[in-house]
Amino acid sequence: MSRLGTLHLIPVSLGEAPLERWLPAETQAIAQNLEIYIAENAKTARAFLKQVEVVRPIQDILIHTLDKRGTPTATLATWLQPLTQGQDIGLVSEAGCPAVADPGAAVVQQAHRLLAPVRAHVGPSSILLSLMASGLSGQNFAFHGYPPVKADARAKQLREWEQYSKRTRQTQIFIETPYRNEALFAALLQELQPQTQLCIARALTTDEEWVRSQTVAQWRKQAAPNFAKHPCIFLFQA
Amino acid sequence: MSRLGTLHLIPVSLGEAPLERWLPAETQAIAQNLEIYIAENAKTARAFLKQVEVVRPIQDILIHTLDKRGTPTATLATWLQPLTQGQDIGLVSEAGCPAVADPGAAVVQQAHRLLAPVRAHVGPSSILLSLMASGLSGQNFAFHGYPPVKADARAKQLREWEQYSKRTRQTQIFIETPYRNEALFAALLQELQPQTQLCIARALTTDEEWVRSQTVAQWRKQAAPNFAKHPCIFLFQA
């Protein structure tokens, strides 16, 4: 059997930010040369390819787009076929690191089935960067994705996460659709205990980056942060 | 009040690897110019400063070292005093990203008390890179640090994490001291269900990088991986 190609997991930016802030030079060089990409979103993938200054015309690069409702395994297998001929493939998310809080994991699974090398590249993850910047426990943490949308279910979930954190010291991390940031923030101030540490990390790696970490009691004394529809990460530890 | 200095959270390498593989150029430029560092380990901090090619002699850079048993808050406050005079400070871990699975979070907490800006920089995290490369769920995951050392307690803990993962689809992530990797691997094969997906990620970002993700049943049919005392991350999803 000839050498198998590598599936490169290539991070993209979290927002408007210069490439040298968030991508190591070696990864840029690899991304410049790949001829096949699998993307969560073809439009943002093309913007990324332009930013990394790919060596060939962008229209000559093959970009497969993942289906939001799940791409059939047979389709993924076809897309990854070039790995068996020794050709490398890139996987990119809509923002941040592929296969974290996005549909990319199915592609990685399929590459492992072929026993192809999978190489994860260093890049921006709002989950990890916010955890670092929060000062909350990085020894024990969980990322939950989105909390429930309905107020009752959300309140119950936040209290459950807080009780679990109180028992285990686990940092609780979650995200929200930008237009619901204010509602989630209000629910956090209402449901959490005053001494719980709450961190809000906004627009990481961009010029609008803003991080604050303090007790719920302190948050209650101040005006709400200016969310301005920026992507935010919410973290707390009871 | 004059401008407050920034606490820069600067990632260091996970092992022997060229700088351009794991650190963005802007972060390198910032790290080159900082005059004060707080480090988990002074020796590895100096090796990092040499690798990033700091602009002044290394002996002219002030390096405070965190106490493994916990640094008193009063000491941290003294170390961070320069932030109030507008001077920037760097925080570095022994390996990877500061304040994740290391004692750096206490420093970050103290900076937030001063309301100083905290800036987390992009860099290598074996937890995040292994999650990306695993193909396991990145929508819902938990990092637990180390499992218990004693065999009985470890077996019980692994079964509990598996039951929780089965119920919630949460990916379970944990680490082990390199000389116990073989013992942990054996325990995983013994305790987990055959259909559970188990990933082992070894020596990430170095030339010894190796990642495999498959069912426990498949792992049982093969020889154990060559751990060779490399740092490894273990991940599973039931």
Side-chain angles (χ1 to χ4, degrees):
Chain A
M1 192 170 72
S2 62
R3 188 189 72 87
L4 287 161
T6 296
L7 179 66
H8 288 281
L9 312 188
I10 310 273
V12 304
S13 76
L14 297 175
E16 211 173 302
L19 197 66
E20 56 273 20
R21 186 177 294 166
W22 54 267
L23 199 70
E26 186 181 289
T27 304
Q28 179 181 6
I30 289 168
Q32 281 176 331
N33 282 284
L34 294 170
E35 294 173 51
I36 308 175
Y37 275 89
I38 298 173
E40 185 184 4
N41 178 316
K43 192 179 157 201
T44 57
R46 276 189 292 268
F48 168 76
L49 296 177
K50 197 174 161 194
Q51 193 177 16
V52 295
E53 300 175 354
V54 284
V55 299
R56 53 182 63 74
I58 289 177
Q59 60 270 29
D60 292 358
I61 297 169
L62 179 58
I63 304 177
H64 301 292
T65 307
L66 292 166
D67 190 320
K68 280 181 203 310
R69 295 150 301 181
T71 308
T73 305
T75 306
L76 295 178
T78 309
W79 291 352
L80 292 181
Q81 198 56 41
L83 292 175
T84 64
Q85 281 118 43
Q87 202 170 4
D88 293 347
I89 297 177
L91 175 66
V92 288
S93 182
E94 194 170 352
C97 291
V100 178
D102 88 342
V107 181
V108 177
Q109 278 169 32
Q110 192 60 31
H112 281 299
R113 276 186 210 116
L114 299 172
L115 297 180
V118 173
R119 185 165 162 207
H121 289 267
V122 170
S125 158
S126 51
I127 299 166
L128 186 83
L129 291 168
S130 66
L131 178 65
M132 293 164 67
S134 70
L136 305 182
S137 174
Q139 313 269 9
N140 179 14
F141 58 88
F143 172 70
H144 300 291
Y146 297 86
V149 172
K150 291 198 176 170
D152 286 5
R154 181 172 59 203
K156 183 165 175 280
Q157 182 67 80
L158 295 178
R159 288 194 303 263
E160 277 178 20
W161 286 339
E162 189 181 42
Q163 280 157 21
Y164 189 78
S165 178
K166 197 158 193 171
R167 207 163 66 240
T168 61
R169 306 294 298 143
Q170 188 183 64
T171 298
Q172 309 296 309
I173 312 174
F174 43 99
I175 49 179
E176 188 47 284
T177 309
Y179 73 85
R180 287 202 196 100
N181 281 337
E182 280 85 359
L184 177 56
F185 178 71
L188 285 162
L189 293 208
Q190 186 171 329
E191 300 304 331
L192 300 185
Q193 297 296 310
Q195 71 283 9
T196 291
Q197 288 281 334
L198 172 64
C199 177
I200 295 171
R202 182 189 77 186
L204 292 171
T205 74
T206 76
D207 293 341
E208 303 298 319
E209 174 169 321
W210 182 84
V211 181
R212 182 150 295 175
S213 190
Q214 57 190 3
T215 63
V216 168
Q218 286 168 314
W219 281 109
R220 283 178 183 155
K221 283 184 209 152
Q222 296 166 3
N226 178 16
F227 290 107
K229 293 193 179 143
H230 289 298
C232 289
I233 307 277
F234 297 83
L235 310 89
F236 71 76
Q237 187 185 7
Chain B
M1 193 169 75
S2 63
R3 189 189 71 86
L4 286 161
T6 295
L7 179 67
H8 288 280
L9 312 188
I10 310 272
V12 304
S13 77
L14 297 175
E16 211 171 304
L19 197 66
E20 56 273 21
R21 186 176 295 166
W22 54 268
L23 199 70
E26 185 182 289
T27 304
Q28 180 182 6
I30 290 167
Q32 282 176 330
N33 281 284
L34 294 170
E35 294 173 52
I36 308 174
Y37 275 90
I38 299 173
E40 185 182 6
N41 179 315
K43 191 179 159 199
T44 57
R46 276 189 292 267
F48 168 75
L49 295 177
K50 196 174 162 192
Q51 194 178 15
V52 295
E53 300 176 352
V54 283
V55 298
R56 52 182 63 74
I58 289 177
Q59 60 271 27
D60 292 356
I61 296 169
L62 179 59
I63 304 177
H64 301 293
T65 308
L66 291 166
D67 190 319
K68 280 181 204 310
R69 294 151 301 181
T71 307
T73 305
T75 306
L76 295 177
T78 309
W79 292 353
L80 292 181
Q81 198 56 40
L83 292 175
T84 64
Q85 282 118 44
Q87 201 170 4
D88 292 348
I89 297 177
L91 175 67
V92 288
S93 182
E94 194 168 354
C97 292
V100 179
D102 87 342
V107 181
V108 178
Q109 276 169 33
Q110 192 61 33
H112 281 299
R113 277 186 209 116
L114 299 172
L115 298 180
V118 173
R119 186 165 162 206
H121 289 266
V122 169
S125 159
S126 52
I127 299 167
L128 186 84
L129 291 168
S130 67
L131 178 65
M132 291 163 68
S134 70
L136 305 182
S137 173
Q139 313 269 10
N140 178 14
F141 58 89
F143 172 70
H144 299 291
Y146 297 87
V149 172
K150 290 198 176 171
D152 286 5
R154 181 172 58 204
K156 183 165 175 282
Q157 182 67 79
L158 295 178
R159 289 194 303 264
E160 277 178 20
W161 286 338
E162 189 181 42
Q163 279 158 23
Y164 189 78
S165 177
K166 197 157 193 172
R167 205 163 67 240
T168 61
R169 306 294 296 141
Q170 188 182 63
T171 298
Q172 308 297 309
I173 313 174
F174 42 100
I175 50 178
E176 189 46 287
T177 308
Y179 73 86
R180 288 203 196 101
N181 281 339
E182 281 85 357
L184 176 57
F185 178 71
L188 284 162
L189 293 208
Q190 187 170 328
E191 300 302 333
L192 299 185
Q193 298 295 311
Q195 71 283 7
T196 291
Q197 288 282 334
L198 172 65
C199 176
I200 294 170
R202 182 188 79 184
L204 292 171
T205 73
T206 76
D207 292 342
E208 303 298 319
E209 174 169 321
W210 183 85
V211 180
R212 182 149 295 175
S213 189
Q214 57 190 5
T215 64
V216 167
Q218 287 168 313
W219 282 108
R220 282 179 183 153
K221 282 183 210 153
Q222 296 167 4
N226 178 16
F227 291 106
K229 294 198 176 136
H230 288 297
C232 289
I233 307 277
F234 297 83
L235 311 89
F236 71 74
Q237 186 184 8

